Amino acid sequence: MAKNPASLGPKFPQVVVLVGATGDLSRRKLLPGLFHLVSAGFIPGCRIVGVSLDDIDADGFRQIAREALDQFSSRKAANGAWAAFSECLDYVPMKAGPAALKAAVERAEAALGAETRRIHYLSVPPSAALPAVHLLAEAELVGRCRIVMEKPFGTDLASAVDLNGRLHQVFSEEQIFRIDHFLGKEAAQNILAFRFGNGLFEPIWNRNFIDHVQIDVPETLALGKRAPFYEATGAYRDMVVTHLFQILGFMAMEPPTALEPGPINEEKNKVFRSMLPIDPRDVVRGQYVGFRSEAGVDPESDTETFIALKCHIDNWRWAGVPFFLRTGKRMAEGQRIISIAFREPPKSMFPVGSGVGAQGPDHLTFDLADASRLSLSFYGKRPGPGMRLDKLSMQFAMHDTGLIGEVLEAYERLILDAMRGDRTLFTSAEGIERLWQVSTPLLENPPPVRLYEPGSWGPKTIHQLIAPHAWRLPFERAWRDPNGAGS
């Protein structure tokens, strides 16, 4: 645990209005995350007011919270810590209306007994976001607050502009925190540290040394209860605009003038402004066999559960370097990697059969899992007579540091940042609207979906998309076991 958690948290006590408090995200991530932040001392006083459609009272909400901790928390809830946390919980059913919500927040602020701030977390479907905003406005809870919004942030340019316009009628842009849990992961932030903290790598982070980049997020999960939502959304809107493009922005941005939210977001937005519109000919859409038979899905659905695309950043640093993005459901493995392929030497002095180049170019690979890892692959001489080269690698894993226990889960980190007013890892209205703008050609003229078998790597045409290169996943070499076994 960090030596002084309070120094990393907000200055003021926090009242959290958790809208959608009994939903799946709240139970899996938000309530366990808030419990950890409160019990570890990151927040100097906290009260949580749950709001949802369920007609329960505060004790009913406490029971749901306790079950959520027992089922989903990675940290055991000791009785003393739970007793203290349960006292922080209150609940207002949606049907009670804005007056009841206002009264509950005022009770929470009175209990904290000091200057407080409010954070409203909207853990609700897109259709319920604006009604929740209006509820907060009618309850007169717009002052001294920040509001955290879940994706998707619109479904195209027009809807994103409309949504932002309606939000700005109630909250200023500075109050709105659009959350992307991918950027809350330790590994995503490590990209900034790796690039800007090391003189070895920043000079080669450009078109002269990098051949292409892959951002690959396959998932093994089926859609289950999310199938009706997915039927109206698809993989591109659900994952690429809100997650993969945001990672691309971190990876490709210019050095900011300072490691602060404003300069970092400005550089990320410059990347988005430099992106060329997505050409539908550079996109492969797929759908896993069986999707159309799931509950809530049209039997003739054209929705993609898989997407792979090539995009370009048309600026001085990245001109001519293709970025390949891929994500999908029901795939062979669940992974989250950024793989940077370096240019190969212009000429080989090694004899035929030496093995140089046989296993592709050198790669720098970031694993964006919670326990982050990175690997740098290169060719080296095989021991013995003659000149035979093998692919070798240097690898680092967070487990190696002994600090894995200090890693905050993504939602914990982002909630804490929102309380502190740190916008570094959040997306802006300008950035979101620009990404929908470059997406317009694809959304207006999508290529046909191609079927793929569950447990595969997607439609066969993905290999034509990336040729003459090859997809980094599946790995030919496994990550090393942190206990010393493996390749």
Side-chain angles (χ1 to χ4, degrees), residues 67 78 89 111 115 138 160 182 186 215 217 307 345 372 387 424-425 435 443 447 450:
E67 291 171 354
L89 302 178
E115 186 179 3
E138 291 168 15
F182 270 50
E186 198 75 32
I215 301 175
V217 187
I307 190 119
S372 60
M387 182 58 75
T424 303
L425 303 177
L435 291 174
L443 299 178
R450 300 174 184 272

Side-chain angles (χ1 to χ4, degrees), residues 11-225:
K11 295 180 181 178
F12 302 103
Q14 303 285 319
V15 175
V16 180
V17 178
L18 183 53
V19 185
T22 61
D24 187 64
L25 176 63
S26 179
R27 291 184 298 108
R28 287 179 178 272
K29 296 293 185 181
L30 305 182
L31 288 169
L34 286 164
F35 169 76
H36 176 232
L37 294 177
V38 170
S39 60
F42 284 101
I43 309 172
C46 183
R47 290 289 186 274
I48 299 164
V49 180
V51 182
S52 82
L53 295 173
D54 291 328
D55 190 11
I56 56 175
D57 58 12
D59 285 336
F61 181 45
R62 292 186 182 105
Q63 181 178 346
I64 289 172
R66 180 69 213 215
E67 291 171 354
L69 296 186
D70 291 342
Q71 187 174 358
F72 299 114
S73 179
S74 60
R75 303 173 179 90
K76 185 174 177 58
N79 287 335
W82 163 250
F85 184 69
S86 67
E87 290 298 312
C88 298
L89 302 178
D90 198 358
Y91 184 84
V92 177
M94 193 76 75
K95 70 176 186 180
L101 177 56
K102 180 181 180 182
V105 171
E106 288 176 345
R107 287 195 303 272
E109 291 176 338
L112 291 171
E115 186 179 3
T116 60
R117 297 290 186 270
R118 303 162 183 158
I119 182 159
H120 307 312
Y121 198 117
L122 304 192
S123 178
V124 296
S127 60
L130 286 174
V133 167
H134 295 145
L135 172 67
L136 295 170
E138 291 168 15
E140 300 176 7
L141 298 176
V142 175
R144 291 183 289 110
C145 82
R146 299 180 177 110
I147 181 167
V148 180
M149 307 281 296
E150 280 285 339
K151 69 175 180 73
F153 313 115
T155 57
D156 55 20
L157 178 58
S159 61
V161 171
D162 180 65
L163 174 62
N164 287 329
R166 291 172 183 266
L167 287 174
H168 291 155
Q169 290 174 1
V170 180
F171 296 100
S172 68
E173 178 64 19
E174 289 69 31
Q175 291 178 287
I176 302 169
F177 287 70
R178 298 168 185 81
I179 195 167
D180 173 11
H181 70 271
F182 270 50
L183 293 188
K185 293 180 178 297
E186 198 75 32
Q189 299 159 59
N190 207 24
I191 297 169
L192 295 181
F194 190 87
R195 276 193 64 187
F196 302 131
N198 295 293
L200 177 62
F201 289 100
E202 175 54 27
I204 63 171
W205 211 266
N206 57 59
R207 62 187 301 273
N208 296 320
F209 298 93
I210 292 176
D211 184 78
H212 67 277
V213 177
Q214 296 179 36
I215 301 175
D216 211 350
V217 187
E219 298 179 294
T220 58
L221 299 174
L223 288 166
K225 294 180 180 178

Side-chain angles (χ1 to χ4, degrees), residues 354-356 359 378-383 388-392:
S354 66
V356 67
Q359 292 178 274
F378 54 91
Y379 286 96
K381 183 184 178 299
R382 182 186 298 179
R388 288 283 298 165
L389 277 67
D390 284 333
K391 205 64 176 289
L392 309 173

Side-chain angles (χ1 to χ4, degrees), residues 176-478:
I176 302 169
F177 287 70
R178 298 168 185 81
I179 195 167
D180 173 11
H181 70 271
F182 270 50
L183 293 188
K185 293 180 178 297
E186 198 75 32
Q189 299 159 59
N190 207 24
I191 297 169
L192 295 181
F194 190 87
R195 276 193 64 187
F196 302 131
N198 295 293
L200 177 62
F201 289 100
E202 175 54 27
I204 63 171
W205 211 266
N206 57 59
R207 62 187 301 273
N208 296 320
F209 298 93
I210 292 176
D211 184 78
H212 67 277
V213 177
Q214 296 179 36
I215 301 175
D216 211 350
V217 187
E219 298 179 294
T220 58
L221 299 174
L223 288 166
K225 294 180 180 178
R226 292 189 74 222
F229 161 78
Y230 220 78
E231 166 67 4
T233 307
Y236 185 81
R237 289 179 169 93
D238 183 52
M239 288 292 292
V240 177
V241 176
T242 49
H243 291 325
L244 273 63
F245 279 161
Q246 300 300 327
I247 294 171
L248 183 151
F250 254 38
M251 185 268 159
M253 72 182 191
E254 296 295 318
T257 55
L259 205 63
E260 296 173 356
I264 289 175
N265 272 307
E266 173 58 19
E267 295 304 334
K268 197 168 62 167
N269 284 339
K270 284 182 183 177
V271 173
F272 301 152
R273 288 180 215 137
S274 301
M275 285 178 65
L276 296 177
I278 305 300
D279 188 337
R281 294 171 296 182
D282 291 334
V283 178
V284 175
R285 296 170 69 236
Q287 185 187 93
Y288 65 77
V289 175
F291 174 70
R292 293 175 182 174
S293 62
E294 297 196 18
V297 175
D298 186 334
E300 298 181 1
S301 173
D302 189 46
T303 298
E304 79 279 357
T305 61
F306 168 98
I307 190 119
L309 64 138
K310 176 169 63 175
C311 61
H312 296 274
I313 301 170
D314 191 26
N315 64 14
W316 194 271
R317 183 182 291 263
W318 297 112
V321 177
F323 287 74
F324 298 99
L325 282 55
R326 177 173 65 168
T327 186
K329 305 293 184 184
R330 297 293 303 275
M331 295 182 69
E333 294 178 24
Q335 294 273 6
R336 295 170 178 176
I337 71 158
I338 302 174
S339 189
I340 298 162
F342 293 102
R343 293 192 182 277
E344 298 187 64
K347 185 174 175 59
S348 175
M349 67 182 70
F350 296 96
V352 175
S354 66
V356 67
Q359 292 178 274
D362 300 338
H363 282 86
L364 175 64
T365 304
F366 293 87
D367 183 349
L368 299 183
D370 288 325
S372 60
R373 300 176 289 192
L374 62 87
S375 170
L376 179 62
S377 71
F378 54 91
Y379 286 96
K381 183 184 178 299
R382 182 186 298 179
M387 182 58 75
R388 288 283 298 165
L389 277 67
D390 284 333
K391 205 64 176 289
L392 309 173
S393 68
M394 292 187 292
Q395 296 187 6
F396 160 81
M398 188 63 68
H399 288 283
D400 298 337
T401 67
L403 301 175
I404 191 68
E406 296 192 16
V407 174
L408 287 179
E409 199 276 337
Y411 280 98
E412 296 172 357
R413 168 65 189 262
L414 292 168
I415 290 170
L416 202 62
D417 282 356
M419 289 178 172
R420 295 169 55 238
D422 186 338
R423 305 176 62 84
T424 303
L425 303 177
F426 295 85
T427 57
S428 67
E430 177 191 343
I432 286 294
E433 290 176 12
R434 172 58 184 166
L435 291 174
W436 284 123
Q437 186 179 16
V438 301
S439 302
T440 298
L442 172 61
L443 299 178
E444 291 182 346
N445 188 28
V449 292
R450 300 174 184 272
L451 296 180
Y452 64 97
E453 290 296 327
S456 72
W457 287 100
K460 302 296 185 187
T461 47
I462 60 170
H463 302 297
Q464 297 168 236
L465 175 69
I466 202 170
H469 314 298
W471 290 101
R472 186 80 165 128
L473 289 175
F475 283 130
E476 293 182 6
R477 300 172 55 84

